[in-house]
Amino acid sequence: TNAGATTAPAAPAAAKKISLGFAQVGAESGWRTANTKSVQDSAKEAGFDLKFSDAQQKQENQIKAIRTYIQQKVDVIAFSPVVESGWDTVLKEAKDAKIPVILTDRAVDSKDTSLYVTFIGSDFVEEGKKAGKWVADKYKDAKEDVNIVELQGTTGSAPANDRKAGFAEEIKGNAHLKVIASQTGDFTRAKGKEVMQAFLKAHKDIDVLYAHNDDMALGAIQAIEAAGLKPGQDITIISVDAVKDGMTAASEGKINFIVECNPLLGPQLMQAVNDVIAGKQIEKRIVTKEGVFTSEDAKKVLADRQY
Ligand code: GZL
């Protein structure tokens, strides 16, 4: 018999962790912070090696991050495109490198849908419609013009384009409903306050503010109060996201109606990553579930809100 010392079989090499490269938009809003936390917590939960970057809302930084992930040969790339266009080149590079790409939160306008496996995110047109429907209903018997100002999200972003379109669609049936000013506040409180100050200087008779996110609405509320007006009373305010600070303002009657935009996309993203790695078929579009809240509703659910 072979008297040679036997050696224990080598311990199986720890299964190589799935590596996920995530190129985040930035840290511009409460929504984004909650979204980042959801991605990071879920990746940890899933045991993935997460590489994460913050692009400070600049497309070139997101493109750089994606190129880095390609060089690092990650298993999957995911990102939330800060704007809709300008992605085809870098997405082709990922495709040539045989690295699947998952879109989360925001969409791209690429015609070639083979450039990404799936898009997990809200239906922003639907969100704009929910906001517009509420305004159209509130002012359905208006006998004189209702002057609306609009704080748009980041110029060129899917949420800004679609929330604007959905809202306009729902109010077009009533000629009294007039959007007298519409400008980007870049989804931030600071810019929302600055643009609302300009709106208040230019227009003495604003009836409604439609803000594409809570952070801009909260900035605008500071400007409205500084002008000696009562937010939620002198100026009716509708917003989108339903983050904690927005829901708090709603519970205080400073925001009258909030359309929820769910940032907790982490679990669905990690499920999609596992499915991609397993070679499973994934639906091209995964829509997140979300509701709406009046001031009354906000009071009831505020304590239970996760973000
Ligand atoms: C929407 C998301 C938007 C939020 C903003 O899914 O892209 O970006 O509504 C965030 O708060 O800045």
Side-chain angles (χ1 to χ4, degrees), residues 25 27-32 57 80-81 105-106 121-122 124 127 154 157 159 163 186-188 212-215 240-241 243 261-263 265:
V25 165
E28 73 281 1
S29 63
W31 189 97
R32 189 62 57 198
Q57 287 190 277
S80 165
D105 167 28
R106 299 184 185 178
S122 305
F124 300 130
E127 291 174 348
T154 301
S157 69
R163 284 173 186 165
D186 209 16
F187 282 131
T188 67
H212 290 185
N213 83 331
D214 292 348
D215 287 75
V240 183
D241 276 351
V243 292
C261 178
N262 188 343
L265 305 178

Side-chain angles (χ1 to χ4, degrees), residues 52-113:
F52 184 91
S53 65
D54 170 336
Q56 284 100 34
Q57 287 190 277
K58 289 184 179 56
Q59 181 173 30
E60 65 267 21
N61 290 346
Q62 281 193 301
I63 291 174
K64 262 188 226 135
I66 292 169
R67 287 200 166 118
T68 301
Y69 298 147
I70 293 172
Q71 280 154 16
Q72 291 171 330
K73 298 189 186 326
V74 297
D75 295 306
V76 180
I77 291 170
F79 75 116
S80 165
V82 61
V83 293
E84 286 192 280
S85 50
W87 301 100
D88 285 30
T89 304
V90 73
L91 291 180
K92 280 203 184 72
E93 290 167 22
K95 186 178 177 184
D96 293 347
K98 300 201 182 345
I99 300 176
V101 173
I102 294 173
L103 300 181
T104 69
D105 167 28
R106 299 184 185 178
V108 296
D109 63 8
S110 303
K111 296 284 164 284
D112 178 358
T113 56

Side-chain angles (χ1 to χ4, degrees), residues 20 34-48 50 263-271 274:
L20 169 64
N35 178 249
T36 288
K37 187 172 182 323
S38 176
V39 168
Q40 292 177 332
D41 291 355
S42 304
K44 196 160 178 214
E45 178 91 14
F48 293 166
L50 176 69
L264 307 180
L265 305 178
Q268 285 169 296
L269 171 56
M270 302 315 150
Q271 181 56 57
N274 274 319

